[in-house]
C-alpha cells in the first residue's frame, strides 16, 4: 500500500474528499451568514434552521406533490427564501434600530421554534431522501471510489459560491449591496430603496442556506436537528474568515472543511475541535478574521 | 426668478436635542446660494434635514411646489434633490467607476460620462482605482461628479473645499461656475466666504439653528467686518 506522511494514500484522499464535501456546506452556509451580517448587521441564528427547512421543503415537495430532486433544487430555496423575506419584512425590520442582541435573540428563538415544530411533526430521527437516479452510484478514480453525488455536491456548491461572489462583487446590484453595507443612509439618499435591498439580501442569504439543505438531503438524512448540528461550526468558519467578507467566507469554508478532514487522518481525536482551535488562534492573532477588514 | 426650493419654519431634532429653530430659505431656479456660519450652528443639519436624512423635523420643505415632508428618503433624489455630504461618502469597496455609476438616474439633463470625464480628467485616469485611494481633492470631485450624472435639479453641497489645497479649491470653483452656466440650482455650505463670493448669488448667515441675515453677493464687501467677527476668521 502506498504511504504518504505515514498514512495510506487512500485514507488521506478519502478524508480529503469528505473534508471537501463538508467544506462545501460550510462555504454555502457561511456565505449566506456573511452576506446577511454584512448588510443587516445581524447575526442570523436561524441559519441552521433555514438549512433544515430547505431539506424539509425538498422532502415535502416529493411526498405531497411528487416533485423530485431537480425541480426541488430550485423550488425549495425559492420557497424558503421567500419565507425569509417575509420574516425580514414582518419582524427583523423592527429590530434594526435596537441593540443587536434583539436580532440575535429573535433569530435564535425562531430557530428553536422551527426545529421544535418539525421535531413534533416528524420526530427527531431523520427521513430518508433518495439520491437522484442520474447521480446514483460511483466511479473508481483509480486511487479511490468516488460516489458521484458527492462529487456533484462539491462542483455545484463551488459554482453557486462563485456565482454569488460574482453577483456581489461585479454587478450593479452588488455595488448597491456593498455601498449600502458601508453607508446605507447615503445610498438611500441617492434614491436606492434600501429597505427592499435589505429584504432581498436576507432572502438571498436564507435561500443559500436552503440550497445547501437540499444538497445535504440525500447525503445526511432530512432531520429537524440537522441544522443545529452544523451551524456552530459554520459560525466558527465565519469568525475565522472575517465577518462580512464574501470571498473570505467561501475560501475559509473549504479550507476548514479540508483541515477537519486531514485531522481525521492524522489525529482523529482532535477532528471535532480542530476548527475551534483554529478559530481561537485566528482571534488571538487577527481579531478581524483572515479576510476581514479591521473595523 | 421662480422659487424652486422653499423652506419655512424648519425645525429639526437630534434625539431630544432641538437643533434647528425655524429656518426660512428660498432658492430660485438656477440660483446658487451659500449658507455661512460658525461650526455647530446647524448648516450641515439644514442640508441633512432638507434631504430627509434627519427625519425628526417639522415645518415646510417644498421642491417645485411639491411638499417634500412626507417623501421617504429613497424618493427624495427622484424628486430632484442631490446631496454631497461633507465627508464625501466615497465607498471604499467600490472603484471609481462603480462609485460614479452608483446613484440611479433620476431625471433628464444629467451629464454623460464623457462630459464628466471632460470636466474631471483625473477621474478618467483613475477610473479603476478603489474609491478611497484617491486624494482628498479627487474624492471631492468624484462626490460631485456622481451626483451630476443623475440629473438632479438641486445640488446640496456641504463644505466642498474643506481641507483641500488652494489649487484644488480653485478647480472646484471652476466646476461650480460651469454648473451655474448649465442652470443648476445649488445650496452651498461654506466656511470660506471668499471662495463662496466667487460663485454665490446670495448668502444666508446662520447662528444658533436659525437664519440671522440674508444678503446678495453685492453687499458682501460692506459686511466683511461683521462676517469676520461673526465667523471668527
Amino acid at each position: 500500500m502506498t504511504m504518504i506522511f505515514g498514512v495510506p494514500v487512500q485514507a488521506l484522499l478519502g478524508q480529503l474528499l469528505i473534508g471537501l464535501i463538508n467544506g462545501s456546506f460550510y462555504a454555502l452556509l457561511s456565505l449566506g451568514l456573511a452576506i446577511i451580517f454584512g448588510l443587516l448587521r445581524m447575526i442570523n441564528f436561524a441559519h441552521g434552521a433555514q438549512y433544515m427547512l430547505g431539506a424539509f421543503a425538498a422532502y415535502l415537495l416529493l411526498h405531497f406533490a411528487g416533485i423530485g430532486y431537480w425541480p426541488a433544487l430550485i423550488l425549495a430555496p425559492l420557497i424558503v427564501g421567500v419565507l425569509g423575506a417575509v420574516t425580514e419584512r414582518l419582524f427583523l425590520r423592527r429590530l434594526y434600530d435596537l441593540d443587536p442582541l434583539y436580532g440575535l435573540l429573535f433569530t435564535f428563538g425562531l430557530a428553536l421554534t422551527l426545529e421544535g415544530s418539525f421535531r413534533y411533526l416528524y420526530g427527531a430521527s431523520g427521513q430518508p431522501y433518495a439520491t437522484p437516479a442520474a447521480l446514483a452510484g460511483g466511479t473508481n478514480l483509480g486511487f479511490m471510489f468516488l460516489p458521484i453525488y458527492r462529487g456533484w455536491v462539491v462542483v455545484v456548491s463551488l459554482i453557486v459560491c462563485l456565482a454569488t461572489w460574482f453577483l456581489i462583487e461585479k454587478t450593479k446590484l452588488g455595488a448597491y449591496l456593498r455601498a449600502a453595507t458601508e453607508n446605507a443612509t447615503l445610498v438611500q439618499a441617492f434614491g436606492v430603496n434600501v429597505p427592499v435591498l435589505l429584504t432581498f439580501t436576507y432572502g438571498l442569504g436564507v435561500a443559500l442556506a436552503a440550497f445547501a439543505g437540499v444538497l445535504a438531503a440525500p447525503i445526511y438524512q432530512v432531520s429537524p436537528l440537522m441544522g443545529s448540528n452544523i451551524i456552530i461550526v459554520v459560525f466558527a468558519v465565519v469568525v475565522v474568515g472575517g465577518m462580512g467578507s464574501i470571498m473570505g467566507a467561501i475560501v475559509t469554508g473549504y479550507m476548514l472543511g479540508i483541515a477537519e478532514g486531514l485531522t481525521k487522518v492524522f489525529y482523529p481525536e482532535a477532528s471535532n475541535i480542530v476548527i475551534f482551535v483554529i478559530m481561537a488562534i485566528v482571534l488571538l492573532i487577527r481579531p478581524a478574521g483572515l479576510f476581514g477588514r479591521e473595523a | 426668478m421662480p422659487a424652486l426650493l422653499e423652506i419655512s419654519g424648519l425645525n429639526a431634532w437630534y434625539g431630544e436635542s432641538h437643533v434647528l429653530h425655524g429656518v426660512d430659505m428660498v432658492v430660485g431656479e438656477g440660483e446658487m446660494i451659500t449658507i455661512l456660519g460658525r461650526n455647530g450652528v446647524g448648516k450641515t443639519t439644514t442640508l441633512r434635514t432638507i434631504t430627509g436624512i434627519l427625519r425628526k423635523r417639522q415645518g415646510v420643505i417644498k421642491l417645485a411646489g411639491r411638499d417634500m415632508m412626507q417623501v421617504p428618503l429613497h424618493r427624495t433624489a427622484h424628486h430632484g434633490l442631490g446631496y454631497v455630504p461633507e465627508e464625501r461618502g466615497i465607498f471604499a469597496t467600490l472603484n471609481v467607476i462603480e462609485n460614479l455609476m452608483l446613484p440611479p438616474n433620476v431625471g433628464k439633463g444629467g451629464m454623460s460620462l464623457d462630459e464628466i470625464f471632460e470636466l474631471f480628467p483625473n477621474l478618467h485616469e483613475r477610473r479603476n482605482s478603489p474609491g478611497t485611494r484617491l486624494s482628498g481633492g479627487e474624492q471631492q470631485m468624484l462626490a460631485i461628479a456622481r451626483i451630476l450624472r443623475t440629473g438632479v435639479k438641486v445640488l446640496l453641497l456641504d463644505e466642498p473645499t474643506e481641507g483641500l489645497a488652494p489649487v484644488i479649491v480653485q478647480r472646484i470653483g471652476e466646476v461650480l461656475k460651469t454648473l451655474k452656466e448649465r442652470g443648476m440650482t445649488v445650496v452651498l455650505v461654506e466656511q470660506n466666504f471668499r471662495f463662496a463670493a466667487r460663485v454665490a448669488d446670495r448668502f444666508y448667515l446662520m447662528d444658533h439653528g436659525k437664519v440671522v441675515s440674508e444678503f446678495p453677493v453685492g453687499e458682501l464687501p460692506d459686511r466683511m467686518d461683521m462676517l469676520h467677527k461673526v465667523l471668527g476668521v
Side-chain angles (χ1 to χ4, degrees):
Chain A
M1 196 184 278
T2 325
M3 304 284 277
I4 195 163
F5 303 127
V7 294
V9 171
Q10 274 86 348
L12 189 68
L13 291 173
Q15 287 302 333
L16 256 180
L17 178 70
I18 291 176
L20 210 51
I21 291 161
N22 285 340
S24 303
F25 290 113
Y26 297 160
L28 277 175
L29 288 168
S30 61
L31 178 61
L33 272 181
I35 292 171
I36 292 171
F37 181 80
L39 192 55
L40 280 68
R41 298 280 138 192
M42 181 172 278
I43 297 173
N44 183 32
F45 251 94
H47 215 66
Q50 284 150 344
Y51 159 81
M52 176 272 290
L53 277 187
F56 261 102
Y59 171 82
L60 295 174
L61 280 170
L62 183 64
H63 280 257
F64 291 102
I67 294 171
Y69 177 83
W70 297 106
L73 206 52
I74 306 290
L75 278 178
L78 209 60
I79 295 167
V80 180
V82 168
L83 279 178
V86 170
T87 309
E88 193 278 340
R89 200 90 196 178
L90 291 181
F91 302 106
L92 295 182
R93 175 153 302 182
R94 298 160 196 272
L95 307 175
Y96 293 149
D97 292 334
L98 303 176
D99 190 287
L101 204 56
Y102 284 87
L104 202 145
L105 282 174
F106 175 80
T107 51
F108 187 55
L110 183 64
L112 292 180
T113 311
L114 287 171
E115 282 171 6
S117 308
F118 275 87
R119 216 168 144 176
Y120 176 74
L121 292 169
Y122 294 95
S125 62
Q127 316 286 328
Y129 188 92
T131 306
L135 300 173
T139 179
N140 197 336
L141 297 179
F143 53 87
M144 63 177 288
F145 181 79
L146 173 74
I148 290 175
Y149 186 79
R150 300 194 176 213
W152 154 256
V153 166
V154 173
V155 172
V156 77
S157 63
L158 192 62
I159 291 170
V160 169
C161 282
L162 291 179
T164 309
W165 173 84
F166 184 86
L167 173 76
I168 288 169
E169 297 293 337
K170 299 289 166 198
T171 67
K172 180 85 197 212
L173 179 66
Y176 286 149
L177 285 173
R178 278 176 288 144
T181 298
E182 284 185 53
N183 185 345
T185 307
L186 188 59
V187 173
Q188 203 163 355
F190 285 165
V192 177
N193 194 336
V194 173
V196 166
L197 207 57
L198 292 172
T199 307
F200 168 79
T201 303
Y202 191 73
L204 176 67
V206 171
L208 282 171
F211 182 79
V214 183
L215 282 185
I219 297 184
Y220 312 109
Q221 292 191 313
V222 179
S223 131
L225 297 178
M226 62 192 285
S228 51
N229 293 338
I230 193 172
I231 201 64
I232 300 300
V233 175
V234 173
F235 275 117
V237 171
V238 174
V239 171
V240 172
M243 286 277 190
S245 160
I246 302 304
M247 203 32 122
I250 299 172
V251 173
T252 313
Y254 286 104
M255 233 167 53
L256 291 187
I258 291 170
E260 199 181 35
L262 290 181
T263 312
K264 275 196 188 117
V265 181
F266 293 104
Y267 190 57
E269 293 85 344
S271 65
N272 284 333
I273 58 158
V274 63
I275 286 180
F276 300 99
V277 173
I278 293 174
M279 179 182 83
I281 294 170
V282 167
L283 280 179
L284 282 174
I285 298 169
R286 273 185 69 94
L290 292 179
F291 298 86
R293 269 178 291 274
E294 301 288 338
Chain B
M1 201 181 297
L4 185 57
L5 182 64
E6 295 172 73
I7 292 147
S8 62
L10 190 63
N11 283 265
W13 292 260
Y14 281 116
E16 294 296 304
S17 165
H18 193 171
V19 282
L20 293 187
H21 301 265
V23 174
D24 298 308
M25 259 175 219
V26 180
V27 189
E29 192 163 355
E31 200 182 16
M32 191 170 287
I33 65 129
T34 296
I35 306 176
L36 299 170
R38 281 176 294 111
N39 279 329
V41 298
K43 304 187 299 293
T44 295
T45 304
T46 302
L47 295 194
R48 288 170 63 88
T49 309
I50 296 172
T51 314
I53 290 172
L54 191 58
R55 298 210 74 86
K56 204 167 175 188
R57 55 183 184 168
Q58 272 174 13
V60 178
I61 301 171
K62 280 188 176 166
L63 183 64
R66 191 194 164 93
D67 176 20
M68 295 295 288
M69 291 298 278
Q70 303 308 322
V71 175
L73 180 55
H74 64 266
R75 294 299 305 171
T76 53
H78 295 269
H79 289 288
L81 273 182
Y83 173 55
V84 180
E86 190 176 358
E87 69 281 5
R88 294 157 196 156
I90 301 303
F91 298 103
T93 48
L94 276 63
N95 67 24
V96 169
I97 284 284
E98 285 175 322
N99 265 290
L100 199 51
M101 300 307 285
L102 185 80
N105 282 325
V106 294
K108 292 193 197 83
M111 287 189 181
S112 67
L113 268 190
D114 288 343
E115 283 177 296
I116 282 181
F117 286 143
E118 200 178 313
L119 198 56
F120 307 98
N122 283 11
L123 296 183
H124 185 257
E125 282 166 35
R126 312 216 49 185
R127 60 192 178 278
N128 293 317
S129 312
T132 43
R133 288 280 171 79
L134 302 182
S135 69
E138 288 168 330
Q139 288 195 20
Q140 187 63 60
M141 303 286 181
L142 177 55
I144 297 174
R146 71 177 168 193
I147 297 300
L148 299 182
R149 226 202 75 252
T150 62
V152 292
K153 289 179 281 206
V154 181
L155 184 64
L156 308 175
L157 199 52
D158 197 351
E159 301 223 25
T161 66
E162 194 190 21
L164 299 181
V167 58
I168 310 283
V169 172
Q170 199 176 348
R171 184 83 189 82
I172 290 176
E174 286 159 20
V175 168
L176 289 183
K177 277 184 188 144
T178 309
L179 294 185
K180 205 166 161 180
E181 282 158 21
R182 292 176 65 112
M184 176 73 90
T185 306
V186 179
V187 177
L188 179 69
V189 162
E190 243 332 314
Q191 305 252 29
N192 179 350
F193 60 85
R194 283 182 203 81
F195 165 79
R198 297 210 300 267
V199 290
D201 298 308
R202 253 178 338 119
F203 290 89
Y204 284 95
L205 180 64
M206 284 187 74
D207 200 12
H208 289 101
K210 59 182 109 172
V211 172
V212 289
S213 70
E214 183 224 322
F215 53 89
V217 64
E219 290 179 21
L220 191 67
D222 298 339
R223 295 182 184 247
M224 277 299 189
D225 288 344
M226 180 271 286
L227 286 176
H228 275 290
K229 208 186 286 173
V230 175
L231 298 175
V233 286

